[in-house]
Amino acid sequence: MRRTLLLAWAMVLSVSAFGQEPDPDRHKNSTALLLEGQRAQDGKTPNLPLAIVKYRKAAEKAKGEKNDAVAAEALGRLALSNERLEPENIADAAAAWAEIVSAFPETKPWGDRAREKVACKGVDVWLNQLHVALDA
């Protein structure tokens, strides 16, 4: 009886584990994830939420791979995507820019651009939106 209950419990646990979908990007390297993010961001119909997910994964993978150039670019593109969202996500964009400044300050051109963006504190995004609205 005890053995039967133990086997039944093991089967329940294994079935529930099989029902979970693993991350489809787990075997991709940081460069591949970065390119997927670019395609999502720059396509005919930009999919910014998907691009943000891909850029975040690319940055994490690149840090693990010790690839500073890809990590800085992924974080920069992540920040730009957050700025383009409607409504914009200035807080997440500022966090990504700040991470570039702290972790990858010498990576060109993202280090220089991140220093400028951190100094602006998101005001540049709102000024660009005002400019677009006034031109319309």
Side-chain angles (χ1 to χ4, degrees), residues 72-119:
E73 183 174 356
L75 287 169
R77 291 182 179 277
L78 170 69
L80 291 172
S81 293
N82 276 308
E83 290 175 354
R84 286 180 56 193
L85 280 175
E86 290 186 23
E88 66 281 333
N89 190 344
I90 301 298
D92 283 356
W97 290 125
E99 187 174 349
I100 294 171
V101 169
S102 66
F104 313 105
E106 301 303 319
T107 305
K108 300 286 182 192
W110 297 102
D112 297 333
R113 190 168 188 184
R115 279 188 288 281
E116 292 172 8
K117 289 287 202 171
V118 167

mmCIF file of all heavy atoms in Angstrom, residues 72-119:
data_model
loop_
_atom_site.group_PDB
_atom_site.id
_atom_site.type_symbol
_atom_site.label_atom_id
_atom_site.label_comp_id
_atom_site.label_asym_id
_atom_site.label_seq_id
_atom_site.Cartn_x
_atom_site.Cartn_y
_atom_site.Cartn_z
ATOM 1 N N ALA A 72 26.418 45.632 -23.174
ATOM 2 C CA ALA A 72 26.145 47.072 -23.218
ATOM 3 C C ALA A 72 25.142 47.404 -24.318
ATOM 4 O O ALA A 72 24.225 48.207 -24.103
ATOM 5 C CB ALA A 72 27.441 47.842 -23.444
ATOM 6 N N GLU A 73 25.294 46.779 -25.494
ATOM 7 C CA GLU A 73 24.351 47.049 -26.574
ATOM 8 C C GLU A 73 22.948 46.566 -26.224
ATOM 9 O O GLU A 73 21.955 47.256 -26.482
ATOM 10 C CB GLU A 73 24.810 46.397 -27.877
ATOM 11 C CG GLU A 73 23.894 46.730 -29.038
ATOM 12 C CD GLU A 73 24.390 46.228 -30.375
ATOM 13 O OE1 GLU A 73 25.507 45.677 -30.455
ATOM 14 O OE2 GLU A 73 23.658 46.397 -31.361
ATOM 15 N N ALA A 74 22.847 45.393 -25.625
ATOM 16 C CA ALA A 74 21.533 44.867 -25.236
ATOM 17 C C ALA A 74 20.869 45.783 -24.209
ATOM 18 O O ALA A 74 19.680 46.088 -24.320
ATOM 19 C CB ALA A 74 21.672 43.455 -24.685
ATOM 20 N N LEU A 75 21.635 46.253 -23.232
ATOM 21 C CA LEU A 75 21.071 47.164 -22.232
ATOM 22 C C LEU A 75 20.671 48.493 -22.857
ATOM 23 O O LEU A 75 19.633 49.072 -22.513
ATOM 24 C CB LEU A 75 22.069 47.382 -21.098
ATOM 25 C CG LEU A 75 22.241 46.207 -20.144
ATOM 26 C CD1 LEU A 75 23.441 46.430 -19.235
ATOM 27 C CD2 LEU A 75 20.981 45.996 -19.324
ATOM 28 N N GLY A 76 21.489 48.993 -23.791
ATOM 29 C CA GLY A 76 21.151 50.247 -24.465
ATOM 30 C C GLY A 76 19.887 50.127 -25.295
ATOM 31 O O GLY A 76 19.009 51.001 -25.254
ATOM 32 N N ARG A 77 19.776 49.044 -26.022
ATOM 33 C CA ARG A 77 18.572 48.836 -26.824
ATOM 34 C C ARG A 77 17.355 48.565 -25.945
ATOM 35 O O ARG A 77 16.242 48.946 -26.275
ATOM 36 C CB ARG A 77 18.796 47.718 -27.833
ATOM 37 C CG ARG A 77 19.791 48.106 -28.913
ATOM 38 C CD ARG A 77 19.966 47.013 -29.948
ATOM 39 N NE ARG A 77 20.892 47.416 -30.972
ATOM 40 C CZ ARG A 77 20.580 48.162 -32.027
ATOM 41 N NH1 ARG A 77 19.341 48.597 -32.175
ATOM 42 N NH2 ARG A 77 21.493 48.486 -32.914
ATOM 43 N N LEU A 78 17.579 47.913 -24.802
ATOM 44 C CA LEU A 78 16.513 47.716 -23.830
ATOM 45 C C LEU A 78 16.005 49.068 -23.335
ATOM 46 O O LEU A 78 14.796 49.312 -23.280
ATOM 47 C CB LEU A 78 17.031 46.886 -22.657
ATOM 48 C CG LEU A 78 16.149 46.769 -21.426
ATOM 49 C CD1 LEU A 78 14.923 45.928 -21.737
ATOM 50 C CD2 LEU A 78 16.922 46.162 -20.285
ATOM 51 N N ALA A 79 16.920 49.968 -23.028
ATOM 52 C CA ALA A 79 16.540 51.306 -22.564
ATOM 53 C C ALA A 79 15.789 52.069 -23.647
ATOM 54 O O ALA A 79 14.753 52.693 -23.380
ATOM 55 C CB ALA A 79 17.783 52.080 -22.134
ATOM 56 N N LEU A 80 16.280 52.007 -24.875
ATOM 57 C CA LEU A 80 15.611 52.712 -25.978
ATOM 58 C C LEU A 80 14.206 52.150 -26.216
ATOM 59 O O LEU A 80 13.271 52.910 -26.501
ATOM 60 C CB LEU A 80 16.447 52.625 -27.249
ATOM 61 C CG LEU A 80 17.764 53.405 -27.224
ATOM 62 C CD1 LEU A 80 18.600 53.083 -28.460
ATOM 63 C CD2 LEU A 80 17.503 54.899 -27.122
ATOM 64 N N SER A 81 14.052 50.841 -26.107
ATOM 65 C CA SER A 81 12.730 50.237 -26.282
ATOM 66 C C SER A 81 11.780 50.684 -25.179
ATOM 67 O O SER A 81 10.610 50.965 -25.440
ATOM 68 C CB SER A 81 12.840 48.707 -26.280
ATOM 69 O OG SER A 81 13.545 48.260 -27.410
ATOM 70 N N ASN A 82 12.273 50.759 -23.950
ATOM 71 C CA ASN A 82 11.438 51.232 -22.848
ATOM 72 C C ASN A 82 11.033 52.692 -23.058
ATOM 73 O O ASN A 82 9.927 53.090 -22.695
ATOM 74 C CB ASN A 82 12.159 51.080 -21.508
ATOM 75 C CG ASN A 82 12.001 49.697 -20.936
ATOM 76 O OD1 ASN A 82 10.890 49.203 -20.813
ATOM 77 N ND2 ASN A 82 13.102 49.056 -20.604
ATOM 78 N N GLU A 83 11.901 53.479 -23.663
ATOM 79 C CA GLU A 83 11.576 54.877 -23.941
ATOM 80 C C GLU A 83 10.535 55.003 -25.054
ATOM 81 O O GLU A 83 9.768 55.959 -25.076
ATOM 82 C CB GLU A 83 12.837 55.657 -24.328
ATOM 83 C CG GLU A 83 13.796 55.856 -23.168
ATOM 84 C CD GLU A 83 15.101 56.516 -23.580
ATOM 85 O OE1 GLU A 83 15.319 56.732 -24.801
ATOM 86 O OE2 GLU A 83 15.917 56.805 -22.690
ATOM 87 N N ARG A 84 10.503 54.041 -25.976
ATOM 88 C CA ARG A 84 9.559 54.083 -27.100
ATOM 89 C C ARG A 84 8.192 53.505 -26.759
ATOM 90 O O ARG A 84 7.244 53.669 -27.530
ATOM 91 C CB ARG A 84 10.133 53.319 -28.291
ATOM 92 C CG ARG A 84 11.256 54.062 -28.991
ATOM 93 C CD ARG A 84 11.800 53.269 -30.159
ATOM 94 N NE ARG A 84 10.772 52.910 -31.119
ATOM 95 C CZ ARG A 84 10.945 52.013 -32.081
ATOM 96 N NH1 ARG A 84 12.090 51.387 -32.205
ATOM 97 N NH2 ARG A 84 9.968 51.745 -32.913
ATOM 98 N N LEU A 85 8.085 52.782 -25.645
ATOM 99 C CA LEU A 85 6.796 52.208 -25.262
ATOM 100 C C LEU A 85 5.744 53.299 -25.096
ATOM 101 O O LEU A 85 6.070 54.451 -24.833
ATOM 102 C CB LEU A 85 6.918 51.476 -23.923
ATOM 103 C CG LEU A 85 7.501 50.079 -23.927
ATOM 104 C CD1 LEU A 85 7.645 49.591 -22.491
ATOM 105 C CD2 LEU A 85 6.651 49.116 -24.713
ATOM 106 N N GLU A 86 4.492 52.907 -25.258
ATOM 107 C CA GLU A 86 3.394 53.835 -24.986
ATOM 108 C C GLU A 86 2.514 53.226 -23.915
ATOM 109 O O GLU A 86 1.853 52.227 -24.182
ATOM 110 C CB GLU A 86 2.594 54.091 -26.262
ATOM 111 C CG GLU A 86 3.371 54.901 -27.253
ATOM 112 C CD GLU A 86 2.533 55.282 -28.465
ATOM 113 O OE1 GLU A 86 1.294 55.314 -28.360
ATOM 114 O OE2 GLU A 86 3.133 55.542 -29.501
ATOM 115 N N PRO A 87 2.461 53.724 -22.702
ATOM 116 C CA PRO A 87 3.244 54.849 -22.203
ATOM 117 C C PRO A 87 4.689 54.433 -21.959
ATOM 118 O O PRO A 87 4.979 53.260 -21.703
ATOM 119 C CB PRO A 87 2.559 55.220 -20.894
ATOM 120 C CG PRO A 87 1.969 53.944 -20.409
ATOM 121 C CD PRO A 87 1.587 53.181 -21.665
ATOM 122 N N GLU A 88 5.564 55.392 -22.042
ATOM 123 C CA GLU A 88 6.989 55.116 -21.883
ATOM 124 C C GLU A 88 7.300 54.634 -20.471
ATOM 125 O O GLU A 88 6.579 54.921 -19.527
ATOM 126 C CB GLU A 88 7.827 56.365 -22.196
ATOM 127 C CG GLU A 88 7.640 57.512 -21.227
ATOM 128 C CD GLU A 88 6.387 58.322 -21.469
ATOM 129 O OE1 GLU A 88 5.899 58.379 -22.600
ATOM 130 O OE2 GLU A 88 5.899 58.898 -20.489
ATOM 131 N N ASN A 89 8.370 53.878 -20.363
ATOM 132 C CA ASN A 89 8.802 53.344 -19.068
ATOM 133 C C ASN A 89 10.165 53.961 -18.749
ATOM 134 O O ASN A 89 11.203 53.332 -18.943
ATOM 135 C CB ASN A 89 8.872 51.826 -19.109
ATOM 136 C CG ASN A 89 9.074 51.218 -17.741
ATOM 137 O OD1 ASN A 89 9.456 51.911 -16.805
ATOM 138 N ND2 ASN A 89 8.834 49.928 -17.637
ATOM 139 N N ILE A 90 10.131 55.193 -18.280
ATOM 140 C CA ILE A 90 11.355 55.943 -18.030
ATOM 141 C C ILE A 90 12.174 55.305 -16.905
ATOM 142 O O ILE A 90 13.402 55.289 -16.955
ATOM 143 C CB ILE A 90 11.033 57.418 -17.690
ATOM 144 C CG1 ILE A 90 10.259 58.075 -18.844
ATOM 145 C CG2 ILE A 90 12.288 58.202 -17.382
ATOM 146 C CD1 ILE A 90 10.993 58.137 -20.146
ATOM 147 N N ALA A 91 11.522 54.768 -15.897
ATOM 148 C CA ALA A 91 12.245 54.181 -14.758
ATOM 149 C C ALA A 91 13.105 52.993 -15.190
ATOM 150 O O ALA A 91 14.286 52.905 -14.819
ATOM 151 C CB ALA A 91 11.260 53.758 -13.673
ATOM 152 N N ASP A 92 12.534 52.082 -15.982
ATOM 153 C CA ASP A 92 13.316 50.937 -16.449
ATOM 154 C C ASP A 92 14.402 51.367 -17.425
ATOM 155 O O ASP A 92 15.500 50.807 -17.431
ATOM 156 C CB ASP A 92 12.416 49.889 -17.100
ATOM 157 C CG ASP A 92 11.654 49.061 -16.075
ATOM 158 O OD1 ASP A 92 11.886 49.245 -14.862
ATOM 159 O OD2 ASP A 92 10.815 48.240 -16.489
ATOM 160 N N ALA A 93 14.096 52.356 -18.254
ATOM 161 C CA ALA A 93 15.104 52.873 -19.182
ATOM 162 C C ALA A 93 16.266 53.483 -18.395
ATOM 163 O O ALA A 93 17.437 53.220 -18.701
ATOM 164 C CB ALA A 93 14.491 53.905 -20.122
ATOM 165 N N ALA A 94 15.961 54.276 -17.388
ATOM 166 C CA ALA A 94 17.010 54.909 -16.583
ATOM 167 C C ALA A 94 17.847 53.858 -15.858
ATOM 168 O O ALA A 94 19.072 54.004 -15.734
ATOM 169 C CB ALA A 94 16.377 55.873 -15.586
ATOM 170 N N ALA A 95 17.209 52.792 -15.398
ATOM 171 C CA ALA A 95 17.951 51.719 -14.721
ATOM 172 C C ALA A 95 18.922 51.040 -15.684
ATOM 173 O O ALA A 95 20.061 50.728 -15.308
ATOM 174 C CB ALA A 95 16.983 50.711 -14.125
ATOM 175 N N ALA A 96 18.487 50.812 -16.914
ATOM 176 C CA ALA A 96 19.368 50.187 -17.904
ATOM 177 C C ALA A 96 20.531 51.112 -18.258
ATOM 178 O O ALA A 96 21.678 50.668 -18.349
ATOM 179 C CB ALA A 96 18.577 49.825 -19.157
ATOM 180 N N TRP A 97 20.240 52.404 -18.445
ATOM 181 C CA TRP A 97 21.317 53.359 -18.737
ATOM 182 C C TRP A 97 22.313 53.412 -17.576
ATOM 183 O O TRP A 97 23.532 53.430 -17.782
ATOM 184 C CB TRP A 97 20.760 54.755 -19.009
ATOM 185 C CG TRP A 97 20.005 54.907 -20.292
ATOM 186 C CD1 TRP A 97 18.734 55.362 -20.432
ATOM 187 C CD2 TRP A 97 20.460 54.636 -21.635
ATOM 188 N NE1 TRP A 97 18.377 55.371 -21.762
ATOM 189 C CE2 TRP A 97 19.413 54.937 -22.520
ATOM 190 C CE3 TRP A 97 21.661 54.153 -22.158
ATOM 191 C CZ2 TRP A 97 19.531 54.789 -23.898
ATOM 192 C CZ3 TRP A 97 21.771 53.997 -23.537
ATOM 193 C CH2 TRP A 97 20.714 54.311 -24.387
ATOM 194 N N ALA A 98 21.804 53.427 -16.351
ATOM 195 C CA ALA A 98 22.675 53.479 -15.173
ATOM 196 C C ALA A 98 23.539 52.218 -15.068
ATOM 197 O O ALA A 98 24.706 52.292 -14.666
ATOM 198 C CB ALA A 98 21.841 53.661 -13.913
ATOM 199 N N GLU A 99 22.986 51.079 -15.441
ATOM 200 C CA GLU A 99 23.768 49.840 -15.406
ATOM 201 C C GLU A 99 24.906 49.881 -16.414
ATOM 202 O O GLU A 99 26.006 49.412 -16.137
ATOM 203 C CB GLU A 99 22.873 48.627 -15.658
ATOM 204 C CG GLU A 99 23.598 47.320 -15.465
ATOM 205 C CD GLU A 99 22.700 46.108 -15.560
ATOM 206 O OE1 GLU A 99 21.466 46.256 -15.576
ATOM 207 O OE2 GLU A 99 23.256 44.985 -15.617
ATOM 208 N N ILE A 100 24.651 50.468 -17.580
ATOM 209 C CA ILE A 100 25.729 50.609 -18.566
ATOM 210 C C ILE A 100 26.827 51.495 -18.003
ATOM 211 O O ILE A 100 28.018 51.183 -18.115
ATOM 212 C CB ILE A 100 25.199 51.190 -19.895
ATOM 213 C CG1 ILE A 100 24.246 50.220 -20.564
ATOM 214 C CG2 ILE A 100 26.359 51.510 -20.840
ATOM 215 C CD1 ILE A 100 23.510 50.801 -21.755
ATOM 216 N N VAL A 101 26.436 52.624 -17.390
ATOM 217 C CA VAL A 101 27.426 53.553 -16.841
ATOM 218 C C VAL A 101 28.253 52.880 -15.750
ATOM 219 O O VAL A 101 29.466 53.064 -15.684
ATOM 220 C CB VAL A 101 26.731 54.828 -16.296
ATOM 221 C CG1 VAL A 101 27.685 55.674 -15.487
ATOM 222 C CG2 VAL A 101 26.148 55.635 -17.441
ATOM 223 N N SER A 102 27.620 52.060 -14.914
ATOM 224 C CA SER A 102 28.355 51.447 -13.809
ATOM 225 C C SER A 102 29.160 50.216 -14.235
ATOM 226 O O SER A 102 30.274 50.010 -13.758
ATOM 227 C CB SER A 102 27.404 51.081 -12.680
ATOM 228 O OG SER A 102 26.517 50.067 -13.085
ATOM 229 N N ALA A 103 28.614 49.400 -15.122
ATOM 230 C CA ALA A 103 29.269 48.132 -15.461
ATOM 231 C C ALA A 103 30.088 48.171 -16.749
ATOM 232 O O ALA A 103 31.073 47.441 -16.871
ATOM 233 C CB ALA A 103 28.227 47.025 -15.549
ATOM 234 N N PHE A 104 29.682 48.994 -17.717
ATOM 235 C CA PHE A 104 30.343 48.997 -19.032
ATOM 236 C C PHE A 104 30.647 50.421 -19.507
ATOM 237 O O PHE A 104 30.306 50.788 -20.634
ATOM 238 C CB PHE A 104 29.457 48.298 -20.067
ATOM 239 C CG PHE A 104 28.908 46.984 -19.598
ATOM 240 C CD1 PHE A 104 27.576 46.865 -19.226
ATOM 241 C CD2 PHE A 104 29.718 45.868 -19.507
ATOM 242 C CE1 PHE A 104 27.063 45.658 -18.780
ATOM 243 C CE2 PHE A 104 29.211 44.654 -19.056
ATOM 244 C CZ PHE A 104 27.880 44.546 -18.694
ATOM 245 N N PRO A 105 31.294 51.258 -18.698
ATOM 246 C CA PRO A 105 31.462 52.669 -19.064
ATOM 247 C C PRO A 105 32.367 52.893 -20.270
ATOM 248 O O PRO A 105 32.221 53.892 -20.976
ATOM 249 C CB PRO A 105 32.063 53.291 -17.803
ATOM 250 C CG PRO A 105 32.760 52.164 -17.122
ATOM 251 C CD PRO A 105 31.920 50.953 -17.426
ATOM 252 N N GLU A 106 33.275 51.986 -20.538
ATOM 253 C CA GLU A 106 34.227 52.177 -21.635
ATOM 254 C C GLU A 106 33.773 51.555 -22.949
ATOM 255 O O GLU A 106 34.473 51.656 -23.946
ATOM 256 C CB GLU A 106 35.595 51.599 -21.240
ATOM 257 C CG GLU A 106 36.189 52.235 -19.997
ATOM 258 C CD GLU A 106 36.348 53.748 -20.125
ATOM 259 O OE1 GLU A 106 36.765 54.223 -21.203
ATOM 260 O OE2 GLU A 106 36.030 54.449 -19.150
ATOM 261 N N THR A 107 32.626 50.922 -22.969
ATOM 262 C CA THR A 107 32.123 50.277 -24.179
ATOM 263 C C THR A 107 31.554 51.338 -25.105
ATOM 264 O O THR A 107 30.615 52.040 -24.758
ATOM 265 C CB THR A 107 31.047 49.238 -23.828
ATOM 266 O OG1 THR A 107 31.586 48.323 -22.879
ATOM 267 C CG2 THR A 107 30.611 48.467 -25.054
ATOM 268 N N LYS A 108 32.143 51.460 -26.286
ATOM 269 C CA LYS A 108 31.725 52.472 -27.254
ATOM 270 C C LYS A 108 30.658 51.896 -28.155
ATOM 271 O O LYS A 108 30.734 50.727 -28.508
ATOM 272 C CB LYS A 108 32.923 52.919 -28.111
ATOM 273 C CG LYS A 108 34.049 53.524 -27.325
ATOM 274 C CD LYS A 108 33.697 54.888 -26.852
ATOM 275 C CE LYS A 108 34.889 55.477 -26.101
ATOM 276 N NZ LYS A 108 34.611 56.638 -25.372
ATOM 277 N N PRO A 109 29.678 52.623 -28.586
ATOM 278 C CA PRO A 109 29.289 53.991 -28.242
ATOM 279 C C PRO A 109 28.332 54.051 -27.057
ATOM 280 O O PRO A 109 27.917 55.119 -26.642
ATOM 281 C CB PRO A 109 28.574 54.462 -29.499
ATOM 282 C CG PRO A 109 27.867 53.229 -29.987
ATOM 283 C CD PRO A 109 28.828 52.096 -29.673
ATOM 284 N N TRP A 110 27.997 52.884 -26.488
ATOM 285 C CA TRP A 110 26.937 52.819 -25.483
ATOM 286 C C TRP A 110 27.317 53.479 -24.169
ATOM 287 O O TRP A 110 26.461 54.045 -23.487
ATOM 288 C CB TRP A 110 26.496 51.377 -25.284
ATOM 289 C CG TRP A 110 25.904 50.824 -26.524
ATOM 290 C CD1 TRP A 110 26.505 49.986 -27.426
ATOM 291 C CD2 TRP A 110 24.622 51.123 -27.064
ATOM 292 N NE1 TRP A 110 25.656 49.735 -28.474
ATOM 293 C CE2 TRP A 110 24.492 50.422 -28.277
ATOM 294 C CE3 TRP A 110 23.562 51.908 -26.636
ATOM 295 C CZ2 TRP A 110 23.347 50.479 -29.064
ATOM 296 C CZ3 TRP A 110 22.425 51.960 -27.418
ATOM 297 C CH2 TRP A 110 22.326 51.257 -28.621
ATOM 298 N N GLY A 111 28.589 53.444 -23.788
ATOM 299 C CA GLY A 111 29.012 54.068 -22.541
ATOM 300 C C GLY A 111 28.817 55.575 -22.567
ATOM 301 O O GLY A 111 28.298 56.174 -21.608
ATOM 302 N N ASP A 112 29.218 56.197 -23.687
ATOM 303 C CA ASP A 112 29.053 57.656 -23.821
ATOM 304 C C ASP A 112 27.577 58.045 -23.853
ATOM 305 O O ASP A 112 27.157 59.000 -23.200
ATOM 306 C CB ASP A 112 29.740 58.148 -25.101
ATOM 307 C CG ASP A 112 31.242 57.918 -25.079
ATOM 308 O OD1 ASP A 112 31.818 57.876 -23.964
ATOM 309 O OD2 ASP A 112 31.839 57.778 -26.162
ATOM 310 N N ARG A 113 26.821 57.306 -24.622
ATOM 311 C CA ARG A 113 25.392 57.615 -24.730
ATOM 312 C C ARG A 113 24.683 57.432 -23.392
ATOM 313 O O ARG A 113 23.805 58.212 -23.027
ATOM 314 C CB ARG A 113 24.760 56.717 -25.791
ATOM 315 C CG ARG A 113 23.363 57.099 -26.142
ATOM 316 C CD ARG A 113 22.913 56.388 -27.378
ATOM 317 N NE ARG A 113 21.636 56.908 -27.807
ATOM 318 C CZ ARG A 113 20.954 56.418 -28.815
ATOM 319 N NH1 ARG A 113 21.445 55.421 -29.515
ATOM 320 N NH2 ARG A 113 19.798 56.924 -29.156
ATOM 321 N N ALA A 114 25.080 56.404 -22.650
ATOM 322 C CA ALA A 114 24.463 56.150 -21.345
ATOM 323 C C ALA A 114 24.758 57.285 -20.368
ATOM 324 O O ALA A 114 23.875 57.701 -19.614
ATOM 325 C CB ALA A 114 24.959 54.823 -20.786
ATOM 326 N N ARG A 115 25.978 57.815 -20.385
ATOM 327 C CA ARG A 115 26.303 58.945 -19.507
ATOM 328 C C ARG A 115 25.432 60.149 -19.825
ATOM 329 O O ARG A 115 24.931 60.836 -18.925
ATOM 330 C CB ARG A 115 27.789 59.299 -19.611
ATOM 331 C CG ARG A 115 28.672 58.395 -18.776
ATOM 332 C CD ARG A 115 30.111 58.883 -18.739
ATOM 333 N NE ARG A 115 30.804 58.688 -20.002
ATOM 334 C CZ ARG A 115 31.312 57.531 -20.415
ATOM 335 N NH1 ARG A 115 31.194 56.461 -19.659
ATOM 336 N NH2 ARG A 115 31.934 57.433 -21.559
ATOM 337 N N GLU A 116 25.209 60.408 -21.117
ATOM 338 C CA GLU A 116 24.343 61.527 -21.516
ATOM 339 C C GLU A 116 22.904 61.294 -21.049
ATOM 340 O O GLU A 116 22.257 62.201 -20.529
ATOM 341 C CB GLU A 116 24.356 61.692 -23.039
ATOM 342 C CG GLU A 116 25.673 62.154 -23.601
ATOM 343 C CD GLU A 116 25.698 62.103 -25.132
ATOM 344 O OE1 GLU A 116 24.638 61.854 -25.751
ATOM 345 O OE2 GLU A 116 26.787 62.291 -25.693
ATOM 346 N N LYS A 117 22.412 60.074 -21.243
ATOM 347 C CA LYS A 117 21.028 59.756 -20.876
ATOM 348 C C LYS A 117 20.817 59.824 -19.360
ATOM 349 O O LYS A 117 19.780 60.290 -18.903
ATOM 350 C CB LYS A 117 20.642 58.368 -21.386
ATOM 351 C CG LYS A 117 20.471 58.305 -22.886
ATOM 352 C CD LYS A 117 19.197 59.002 -23.272
ATOM 353 C CE LYS A 117 18.702 58.551 -24.609
ATOM 354 N NZ LYS A 117 17.377 59.066 -24.900
ATOM 355 N N VAL A 118 21.792 59.366 -18.596
ATOM 356 C CA VAL A 118 21.674 59.424 -17.143
ATOM 357 C C VAL A 118 21.626 60.879 -16.685
ATOM 358 O O VAL A 118 20.861 61.236 -15.785
ATOM 359 C CB VAL A 118 22.829 58.647 -16.461
ATOM 360 C CG1 VAL A 118 22.916 58.953 -14.985
ATOM 361 C CG2 VAL A 118 22.646 57.146 -16.680
ATOM 362 N N ALA A 119 22.416 61.722 -17.329
ATOM 363 C CA ALA A 119 22.424 63.144 -16.962
ATOM 364 C C ALA A 119 21.085 63.810 -17.290
ATOM 365 O O ALA A 119 20.648 64.712 -16.572
ATOM 366 C CB ALA A 119 23.557 63.866 -17.680
#
